[in-house]
């Protein structure tokens, strides 16, 4: 099936498995699962001819009991057109039941307070369905990173309570509402509306999975039939609004009365074929007098003319726009165009004198066909917006007076020049040599930290405005690394990390069963960012990204296992089992024994290499010495084969049909030429090859035996580890070592960036044009002379 179809089956089963498991462990579960409708009852249907009908009946009963008709019963499991006839349907659905019966999908212990493992998995699936389902289905998912930014910039924080309301008029799958809800310590009162039937169903299921079953969602077109209204029939107004409406909706006015009775278009009617401002004005009309909102919009709303320009000027006049955040292109599913966040705030709107703008369009990473905001990009946007920090080329407060001189045009590049400075070529330097002083001055951030390094790299030039290089390009990197000021810079960065390590190591050591992984990473990452803000030449957000990347790739999985099973899980070696095809689904970390009886084992948290490095370094060194010896023998064998292995070489008659030498083929050839005086040299070289081959086989056997012995020792050590030893291995040898290595790379990045720029300048102006011309002239004369001697004119 197309992803847009099979998502309904996968997500429905994921939802039902979750609510079924939770109902067995949580007496206060928000969804009631009737008798005979648990997931175990579905599993009993495996292999039966009416499995599809039976699943549909169970789903229908759960839907009826909980008022989820039209929500969880969209996917029909008794549909031969999609699932096949007879045995095909039975086999397909039975296998699906097996997948959802795996121990990893036991959700009875899922929800630790503050964490939502399943919710994250659910959104992961929706993100990929959005990516795979084409343009028309991209609307149901807002990237989680954008959602987090929107929650913060509208002011949802620790001061918000369940009495505060949040609304999304185009809520899609509800992910945007849920991320905003997560930002409030006790949650918020959630309201939303969505016109697409299938997407609305996703939103309802998503709310239940996130323990927000009481969210008031409605399925209908928000613009033509807004559902959330007050007792007076006017639009209900909310404390916070977040929205990601359809971009440039050409059919927004279909079914809408010419005279909007809700007064949303008092500042002007949007163009009939472009609904961006229709949604924005609906949001504005739905805000309380102290309300705040963040809306995703295409950049066109910032500068398009005619009716939209009139509306924009009216909003500016009233001070409703607090900020504009430009986002990278290709961020949203279903479109590659760049988008922006319009932040609205009615509080003190009448006295607002400017708009805070951020150009965050260049901060992202590639993620398959799309771009994605990194943790550092999200954090920087939020920090800068909340503090209203002005950063050259990134953010600034633009006064309304300046905007008015541009007739209300809000296009971000008019006010923030985020382009990189052009690397200008100096013609005079190309003609007469020397390095332009202005190019060296442009590296002032380095000289502020290492003033003496500049003097050691550059001296006075032959004329004003130009410098001479004191170091050859090939020696620049060595000079920088050997300089005491660079060493002092590196020492300062390492001391900052060491202080962070000392301050946070106990939090990592004390992390245990029942603790919250999200609390741990927030604590240690925020402290790292705070400390590296003051680091010279190292961007604190780059340092922060390193720990967040390691968290998402490795440390997060470790933390979730520990919070579930405690530190004993770190001492576990899990035996890998074969799948139905007789293959292992993972690469083993350890292999015990050999042949058919070999056991293949996988470490849960502590890789065997850490055990080896801490407890068996001597044995590992002996193995490495043997491997080095084997490599040396390989080199000698390769040299012999290269010298004598040609078509007419001495080894030609000893090769197999595959043109290879083997111990057997060489032995056979030696028997053939035994006593042949004319083959003395061939016999000598084949015997040399044979001796080396035997030695290599012996060394390989030694390596295998030593590796087998070491593996057995390592496996035995896992079982004998104390909790303290396991903690030391995971926290110090794994987590902190990896983070330290990543931050060490930041120090090296500083030297690489400076080295690269200085080498470029040195090489660019090393040979001035007159010298080049003279050299070319001399070479031309030499060529002419050679041609003349050869008889050419």
């Amino acid at each position: 099936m197309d992803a847009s179809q099979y998502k309904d089956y996968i997500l429905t089963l994921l939802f039902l498995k979750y609510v079924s498991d939770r109902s067995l462990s949580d007496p206060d579960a928000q969804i009631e699962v009737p008798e005979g409708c648990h997931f175990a009852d579905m599993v009993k249907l495996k292999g039966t001819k009416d499995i599809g009908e039976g699943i549909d009946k169970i789903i229908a009963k759960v839907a009826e009991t909980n008022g989820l008709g039209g929500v969880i019963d969209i996917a029909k499991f008794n549909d031969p057109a999609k699932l096949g006839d007879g045995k095909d349907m039975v086999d397909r659905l039975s296998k699906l039941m097996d997948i959802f019966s795996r121990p990893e999908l036991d959700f009875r212990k899922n929800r630790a307070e503050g964490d939502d493992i399943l919710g994250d998995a659910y959104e992961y699936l929706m993100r990929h369905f959005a990516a795979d389902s084409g343009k028309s289905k991209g609307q149901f998912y807002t990237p989680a990173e954008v959602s987090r930014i929107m929650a913060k910039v509208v002011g949802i924080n620790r001061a918000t309570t369940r009495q505060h309301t949040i609304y999304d008029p185009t809520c899609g799958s509800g992910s945007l509402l849920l991320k905003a809800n997560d930002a409030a310590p006790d949650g918020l009162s959630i309201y939303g509306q969505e016109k697409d039937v299938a997407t609305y169903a996703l939103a309802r299921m998503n709310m239940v999975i996130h323990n927000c079953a009481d969210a008031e969602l409605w399925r209908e077109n928000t613009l033509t039939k807004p559902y959330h209204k007050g007792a007076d029939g006017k639009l209900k107004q909310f404390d916070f609004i977040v929205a990601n409406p359809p971009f440039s909706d050409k059919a927004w006015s279909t079914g809408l009365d010419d005279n909007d009775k809700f007064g949303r278009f008092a500042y002007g009617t949007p163009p009939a074929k472009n609904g961006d401002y229709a949604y924005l004005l609906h949001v504005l009309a739905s805000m309380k007098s102290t309300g705040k909102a963040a809306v995703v919009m295409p950049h066109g709303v910032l500068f398009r003319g005619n009716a939209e320009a009139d509306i924009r000027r009216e909003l500016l006049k009233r001070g409703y726009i607090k900020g504009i955040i430009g986002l990278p292109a290709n961020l949203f599913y279903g479109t590659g165009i760049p988008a922006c966040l319009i932040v609205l705030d009615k509080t003190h709107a009448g006295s607002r004198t400017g708009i805070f703008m951020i150009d965050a369009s260049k901060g992202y990473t590639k993620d398959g066909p799309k771009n994605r905001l990194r943790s550092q990009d999200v954090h920087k946007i939020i920090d800068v917006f909340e503090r209203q920090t002005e950063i050259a080329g990134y953010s600034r407060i633009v006064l309304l007076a300046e905007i008015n001189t541009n007739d209300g045009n809000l296009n971000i590049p008019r006010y923030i020049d985020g382009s990189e400075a052009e690397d200008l070529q100096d013609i005079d330097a190309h003609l007469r040599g020397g390095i332009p002083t202005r190019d060296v001055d442009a590296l002032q951030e380095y000289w502020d930290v290492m003033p003496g390094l500049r003097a050691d790299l550059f001296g006075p030039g032959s004329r004003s405005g130009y410098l001479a290089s004191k170091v050859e390009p090939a020696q620049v990197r060595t000079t920088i690394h050997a300089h005491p000021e660079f060493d002092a810079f590196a020492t300062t960065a390492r001391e900052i990390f060491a202080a962070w390590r000392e301050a946070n190591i106990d939090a990592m050591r004390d992390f245990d069963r029942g603790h919250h992984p999200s609390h741990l990473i927030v604590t240690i990452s925020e402290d790292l960012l705070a400390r590296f803000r003051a680091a010279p030449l190292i961007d604190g957000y780059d340092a922060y990204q390193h720990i967040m990347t390691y968290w998402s790739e490795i440390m997060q999985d470790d933390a979730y296992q520990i919070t579930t099973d405690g530190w004993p899980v770190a001492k576990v070696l899990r035996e890998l089992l074969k799948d139905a095809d007789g293959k292992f689904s993972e690469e083993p970390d350890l292999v015990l024994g050999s042949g058919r009886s070999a056991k293949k084992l996988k470490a849960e948290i502590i890789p065997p290499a850490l055990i080896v490095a801490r407890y068996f370094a001597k044995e590992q060194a002996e193995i490495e010495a043997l491997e080095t010896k084997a490599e040396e023998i390989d080199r000698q064998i390769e040299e012999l084969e290269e010298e004598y292995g040609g078509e007419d070489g001495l080894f030609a008659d000893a090769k197999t049909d595959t043109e290879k030498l083997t111990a057997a083929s060489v032995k056979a050839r030696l028997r053939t030429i035994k006593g042949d005086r004319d083959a003395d040299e061939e016999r000598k070289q084949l015997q040399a090859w044979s001796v080396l081959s035997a030695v290599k086989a012996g060394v390989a056997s030694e390596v295998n035996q030593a590796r087998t012995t070491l593996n057995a020792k390592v496996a035995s050590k896992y079982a004998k580890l104390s909790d303290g030893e396991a903690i030391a291995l995971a926290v110090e040898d794994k987590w902190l070592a990896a983070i330290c290595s990543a931050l060490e790379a930041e120090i090296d990045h500083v030297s690489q960036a400076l080295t690269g720029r200085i080498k470029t300048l040195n090489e660019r102006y090393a040979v001035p044009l007159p010298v080049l011309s003279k050299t070319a002239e001399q070479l031309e004369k030499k060529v002419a002379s050679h041609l003349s001697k050869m008889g050419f004119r």
Side-chain angles (χ1 to χ4, degrees):
M1 297 179 194
D2 178 80
S4 63
Q5 290 182 320
Y6 71 67
K7 81 175 191 313
D8 295 332
Y9 291 90
I10 301 300
L11 295 180
T12 297
L13 283 179
L14 187 63
F15 173 81
L16 288 164
K17 181 68 165 67
Y18 176 78
V19 297
S20 177
D21 286 355
R22 293 298 296 161
S23 71
L24 295 173
S25 61
D26 182 2
D28 299 320
Q30 294 186 320
I31 295 295
E32 179 186 347
V33 180
E35 191 66 32
C37 294
H38 283 86
F39 194 80
D41 297 302
M42 287 188 181
V43 174
K44 292 176 184 176
L45 298 169
K46 281 196 317 178
T48 62
K49 63 180 181 180
D50 57 352
I51 182 173
E53 182 182 356
I55 292 173
D56 280 344
K57 285 180 178 179
I58 289 174
I59 292 173
K61 196 166 183 180
V62 175
E64 181 185 358
T65 304
N66 296 278
L68 293 174
V71 174
I72 65 172
D73 51 3
I74 292 175
K76 299 303 178 185
F77 287 81
N78 194 32
D79 185 347
K82 291 181 179 177
L83 297 167
D85 290 308
K87 188 174 183 303
D88 287 342
M89 178 187 288
V90 173
D91 290 347
R92 187 166 286 125
L93 292 178
S94 295
K95 288 178 182 178
L96 204 53
M97 292 299 108
D98 283 337
I99 290 172
F100 280 89
S101 299
R102 290 175 181 172
E104 303 97 299
L105 292 180
D106 182 350
F107 298 123
R108 282 173 291 184
K109 301 176 183 178
N110 167 246
R111 187 179 295 281
E113 184 184 348
D115 294 318
D116 183 18
I117 301 167
L118 183 75
D120 291 342
Y122 197 91
E123 288 194 10
Y124 171 86
L125 286 170
M126 288 196 291
R127 181 168 76 246
H128 286 280
F129 287 136
D132 294 342
S133 296
K135 253 186 175 179
S136 64
K137 294 296 178 186
Q139 78 273 11
F140 63 72
Y141 184 75
T142 300
E145 297 83 9
V146 177
S147 300
R148 285 197 289 273
I149 293 171
M150 295 171 75
K152 289 293 186 180
V153 298
V154 297
I156 298 172
N157 53 39
R158 297 204 165 274
T160 50
T161 69
R162 291 283 295 180
Q163 281 67 51
H164 288 96
T165 55
I166 185 161
Y167 170 57
D168 184 346
T170 56
C171 67
S173 68
S175 59
L176 184 48
L177 279 170
L178 288 166
K179 280 290 181 292
N181 186 65
D182 287 344
D186 300 316
L188 301 161
S189 296
I190 298 175
Y191 298 82
Q193 190 163 337
E194 170 59 40
K195 68 179 180 180
D196 184 83
V197 176
T199 309
Y200 166 75
L202 284 179
R204 287 289 304 276
M205 287 191 282
N206 216 357
M207 292 296 157
V208 172
I209 279 182
H210 286 78
N211 260 14
C212 296
D214 58 349
E216 290 192 30
L217 305 186
W218 189 254
R219 189 185 66 76
E220 193 57 80
N221 186 317
T222 299
L223 294 182
T224 57
K225 294 182 180 179
Y227 173 75
H228 299 290
K229 298 186 284 292
D232 57 1
K234 295 181 179 179
L235 292 178
K236 181 178 175 65
Q237 295 187 317
F238 303 90
D239 296 299
F240 304 108
I241 301 177
V242 288
N244 179 10
F247 284 3
S248 305
D249 186 355
K250 295 189 181 338
W252 73 272
S253 59
T254 302
L256 187 70
D257 293 337
D258 292 337
N259 185 19
D260 177 43
K261 62 182 178 181
F262 300 106
R264 292 172 292 187
F265 307 136
Y267 307 131
T269 302
K273 297 298 183 182
N274 195 320
D276 293 326
Y277 270 100
Y279 290 103
L280 191 67
L281 291 173
H282 176 87
V283 167
L284 189 66
S286 301
M287 294 167 60
K288 289 182 177 179
S289 60
T290 56
K292 298 169 175 61
V295 187
V296 181
M297 287 275 135
H299 275 266
V301 302
L302 303 177
F303 55 79
R304 288 195 295 249
N306 301 319
E308 291 182 307
D310 294 338
I311 297 171
R312 191 167 56 244
R313 281 191 287 266
E314 290 295 327
L315 299 183
L316 288 169
K317 188 188 301 182
R318 287 160 178 78
Y320 289 141
I321 301 176
K322 178 181 180 180
I324 300 170
I325 302 170
L327 299 171
N330 203 24
L331 205 62
F332 293 86
Y333 297 100
T335 179
I337 66 172
C340 63
L341 299 181
I342 307 291
V343 183
L344 304 172
D345 189 351
K346 286 187 176 179
T347 307
H348 309 306
S351 58
R352 185 162 287 126
T353 59
I355 293 176
F356 190 73
M357 291 189 182
I358 295 177
D359 179 5
S361 59
K362 295 177 180 61
Y364 63 89
T365 186
K366 293 294 294 181
D367 185 12
K370 306 301 290 183
N371 295 330
R372 180 172 56 82
L373 294 173
R374 300 163 294 180
S375 296
Q376 70 180 88
D377 304 319
V378 173
H379 209 308
K380 184 175 182 179
I381 290 170
I382 293 169
D383 287 350
V384 169
F385 191 87
E386 288 183 337
R387 298 171 185 175
Q388 303 278 284
T389 307
E390 293 192 287
I391 301 174
Y394 185 79
S395 62
R396 65 174 286 222
I397 296 173
V398 183
L399 296 179
L400 292 176
E402 181 180 353
I403 294 171
N404 290 336
T405 63
N406 287 309
D407 197 25
N409 189 312
L410 296 174
N411 199 20
I412 295 174
R414 276 184 177 252
Y415 307 100
I416 298 175
D417 183 5
S419 61
E420 294 183 7
E422 189 178 353
D423 185 12
L424 299 173
Q425 299 279 340
D426 189 298
I427 295 176
D428 192 55
H430 279 302
L431 292 172
R432 297 198 283 165
I435 297 172
T437 303
R438 62 173 174 77
D439 282 336
V440 178
D441 289 344
L443 300 170
Q444 191 59 42
E445 62 174 329
Y446 295 98
W447 313 138
D448 287 341
V449 178
M450 300 173 280
L453 178 60
R454 172 174 174 154
D456 289 346
L457 291 170
F458 301 100
S462 59
R463 63 197 188 283
S464 176
Y466 295 87
L467 302 172
S469 177
K470 291 183 176 181
V471 179
E472 292 295 321
Q475 296 302 312
V476 171
R477 181 177 174 82
T478 302
T479 302
I480 291 172
H481 273 265
H483 202 278
E485 290 178 346
F486 180 82
D487 187 58
F489 148 73
T491 299
T492 298
R494 292 181 183 118
E495 287 173 348
I496 292 173
F497 176 77
W500 171 83
R501 184 185 190 278
E502 185 65 27
N504 290 278
I505 191 169
D506 285 343
M508 288 182 258
R509 286 172 175 159
D510 295 340
F511 186 79
D512 209 338
R513 189 195 308 267
H515 291 191
H516 306 312
S518 57
H519 293 179
L520 175 66
I521 187 58
V522 167
T523 299
I524 65 177
S525 65
E526 290 297 328
D527 187 45
L528 186 77
L529 175 59
R531 291 173 187 271
F532 271 93
R533 285 187 198 278
L537 296 177
I538 293 178
D539 188 324
Y541 291 103
D542 287 339
Y544 170 81
Q545 183 61 41
H546 284 301
I547 192 172
M548 295 308 294
T549 297
Y550 183 68
W551 171 259
S552 66
E553 292 177 352
I554 304 291
M555 190 175 171
Q556 177 176 233
D557 290 340
D558 291 350
Y560 273 105
Q561 288 198 57
I562 292 165
T563 195
T564 301
D565 301 315
W567 279 101
V569 72
K571 299 177 276 187
V572 171
L573 278 172
R574 173 168 54 87
E575 185 172 358
L576 296 181
L577 302 176
K578 291 181 179 179
D579 60 23
D581 297 324
K583 298 177 181 177
F584 291 96
S585 58
E586 298 179 61
E587 286 295 320
D589 285 339
L590 276 181
V591 179
L592 299 184
S594 60
R596 298 175 68 87
S597 61
K599 274 189 176 181
K600 297 189 176 183
L601 306 171
K602 187 81 176 171
E604 291 292 346
I605 291 178
I606 300 173
L610 296 182
I611 300 277
V612 170
R614 188 174 271 249
Y615 299 107
F616 303 108
K618 178 184 174 184
E619 289 88 337
Q620 179 64 24
E622 290 170 354
I623 290 173
E624 289 172 358
L626 287 171
E627 289 173 337
T628 300
K629 184 178 178 181
E631 289 170 4
E632 174 59 24
I633 296 170
D634 261 333
R635 186 186 61 77
Q636 293 177 39
I637 290 174
E638 284 174 9
E639 287 177 357
L640 277 176
E641 291 180 350
E642 189 173 331
E643 185 171 356
Y644 301 112
E647 190 174 334
D648 299 321
L650 295 177
F651 291 171
D653 293 329
K655 290 181 178 179
T656 65
D657 292 340
T658 57
E659 294 295 308
K660 298 286 184 184
L661 287 180
T662 66
S665 69
V666 170
K667 188 176 181 180
R669 179 61 183 167
L670 285 171
R671 279 199 305 268
T672 301
I673 61 175
K674 185 177 180 180
D676 186 349
R677 292 177 179 239
D678 295 333
D680 285 350
E681 183 62 18
E682 181 185 357
R683 184 165 45 252
K684 175 185 173 183
Q685 299 305 334
L686 284 173
Q687 286 172 340
W689 187 96
S690 186
V691 168
L692 287 172
S693 179
V695 173
K696 176 186 172 183
V699 173
S701 177
E702 286 185 71
V703 169
N704 288 337
Q705 182 58 48
R707 180 68 65 194
T708 299
T709 302
L710 178 57
N711 283 355
K713 287 182 178 180
V714 171
S716 176
K717 184 63 181 177
Y718 271 99
K720 296 175 183 176
L721 285 173
S722 67
D723 283 357
E725 288 176 313
I727 290 169
L729 284 161
V731 172
E732 297 171 35
D733 296 6
K734 184 181 181 183
W735 296 351
L736 288 171
I739 297 167
C740 177
S741 177
L743 291 171
E744 193 69 30
E746 281 299 312
I747 297 173
D748 195 48
H749 176 72
V750 171
S751 73
Q752 287 178 1
L754 183 57
T755 298
R757 182 57 180 165
I758 291 172
K759 286 180 70 176
T760 295
L761 293 175
N762 281 347
E763 292 167 354
R764 178 180 292 171
Y765 302 115
V767 185
L769 183 60
V771 174
L772 286 172
S773 299
K774 188 173 182 180
T775 302
E777 184 180 343
Q778 292 170 344
L779 289 172
E780 188 177 351
K781 287 179 180 178
K782 283 185 179 181
V783 171
S785 174
H786 285 298
L787 288 172
S788 178
K789 290 176 182 178
M790 294 167 67
F792 296 99
R793 289 187 178 182

